[in-house]
Amino acid sequence: MIPRHVAIIMDGNGRWAIRRLLPRTAGHRAGMQRMTELVREIFSRGVEYCTLFALSAENLQRPREELDALYALFSEYFDREAARLKEGDISVRAIGDLSLLPETVSESVRAAEEMTAGGEKKLAVALAYGGRQDLVAACNRAVAKGEEVTPETFASMLSTGGMPEVDLLIRTGKEKRLSNFLLFEAAYAELWFSDKLFPDFTARDLDRALAEYARRERRFGNI
Ligand code: FPP
């Protein structure tokens, strides 16, 4: 079985660079190249939805220079890849609090969202995203509407609204934690942790994760 929705925590760019005596930002550029390739590979396997964790709300505490380099990469990615994503029938959207990012980034994101709208396959890039923050925002929306929610209507109020729940969650970079990513959406996700640093995580590693997923028995609490 191919998972419908794959989410990836792209961790380890900084360590990848430090091991090569390069600035951390070189690791992020290598990560962007890897991400570009993986997006193509993931959808070519039949996955319909993919969510990538690029920047957490908590990452915003990092030094200014690193954040500025990341913002430049984000704009570069959305400006450069939008046409290719459209060609691949992939619609892209950003999730997270874009108001915390420079306007140059949100403008690139909006342009790419507009250009790729309607694509059959769905890519979400989490920027300035926090799972708890997203849950609280959804709760506040429900309260403002004065409506009682169900798990389904609540899910539609999250920034991932419209996407099915996560089937497979991959984290690269050796750490084994969720780091405030998709807390509601990944409730029954199968977890796959790779020791590889993100720039080293290849299509073969992705295939290993997909093969392991296919072997897992998902019971959703049943027997
Ligand atoms: C985590 O590694 C990675 C990030 C905070 C940035 C992720 C960014 C990319 C993959 C590059 C491009 C993204 C887009 C959307 C174009 P880390 O810096 O925490 O690594 P470390 O744990 O080794 O320090």
Side-chain angles (χ1 to χ4, degrees):
M1 264 277 269
I2 293 286
R4 260 187 106 195
H5 186 174
V6 173
I8 307 183
I9 299 177
M10 306 184 288
D11 193 22
N13 294 347
R15 280 166 285 161
W16 184 92
I18 305 273
R19 283 184 194 174
R20 286 164 179 75
L21 304 179
L22 293 169
R24 291 175 57 83
T25 50
H28 294 314
R29 177 161 287 282
M32 178 168 79
Q33 279 152 5
R34 183 60 71 192
M35 169 180 155
T36 307
E37 178 197 322
L38 278 177
V39 165
R40 209 174 36 239
E41 299 286 350
I42 284 170
F43 288 115
S44 78
R45 304 296 190 276
V47 170
E48 297 166 64
Y49 299 85
C50 175
T51 305
L52 300 175
F53 204 4
L55 192 75
S56 70
E58 293 74 24
N59 288 152
L60 295 172
Q61 302 165 58
R62 290 193 179 189
R64 188 78 260 152
E65 315 82 74
E66 180 164 345
L67 289 176
D68 284 343
L70 278 168
Y71 298 151
L73 284 179
F74 298 160
S75 288
E76 185 181 326
Y77 177 81
F78 287 101
D79 292 346
R80 200 190 56 200
E81 285 303 307
R84 238 177 294 180
L85 292 170
K86 184 180 167 66
E87 223 172 88
D89 202 17
I90 300 166
S91 74
V92 67
R93 78 200 232 201
I95 60 170
D97 189 351
L98 293 198
S99 73
L100 299 174
L101 302 181
E103 256 178 45
T104 45
V105 176
S106 39
E107 277 163 17
S108 298
V109 166
R110 293 298 157 228
E113 285 178 344
E114 265 174 40
M115 186 188 282
T116 62
E120 181 107 359
K121 303 156 198 165
K122 312 286 181 195
L123 172 65
V125 182
L127 301 176
Y129 171 88
R132 281 182 185 162
Q133 294 86 326
D134 206 43
L135 284 167
V136 169
C139 286
N140 283 328
R141 276 195 283 277
V143 168
K145 278 178 136 185
E147 273 176 22
E148 206 171 300
V149 291
T150 65
E152 292 74 26
T153 59
F154 187 70
S156 74
M157 291 174 168
L158 295 169
S159 62
T160 50
M163 297 175 96
E165 65 181 297
V166 177
D167 298 306
L168 172 64
L169 175 68
I170 296 172
R171 180 177 185 136
T172 66
K174 217 168 175 174
E175 313 289 0
K176 293 177 179 60
R177 52 177 171 255
L178 284 181
S179 298
N180 201 16
F181 190 42
L182 303 178
L183 298 180
F184 187 90
E185 300 89 329
Y188 265 102
E190 295 296 325
L191 307 179
W192 170 264
F193 297 103
S194 169
D195 285 350
K196 286 209 178 171
L197 303 174
F198 183 67
D200 292 330
F201 188 82
T202 64
R204 281 190 62 190
D205 298 309
L206 169 70
D207 285 333
R208 276 189 204 111
L210 293 175
E212 163 76 17
Y213 174 85
R215 284 193 293 272
R216 296 221 186 143
E217 192 194 344
R218 303 187 77 195
R219 293 193 297 274
F220 298 96
N222 208 332
I223 51 173

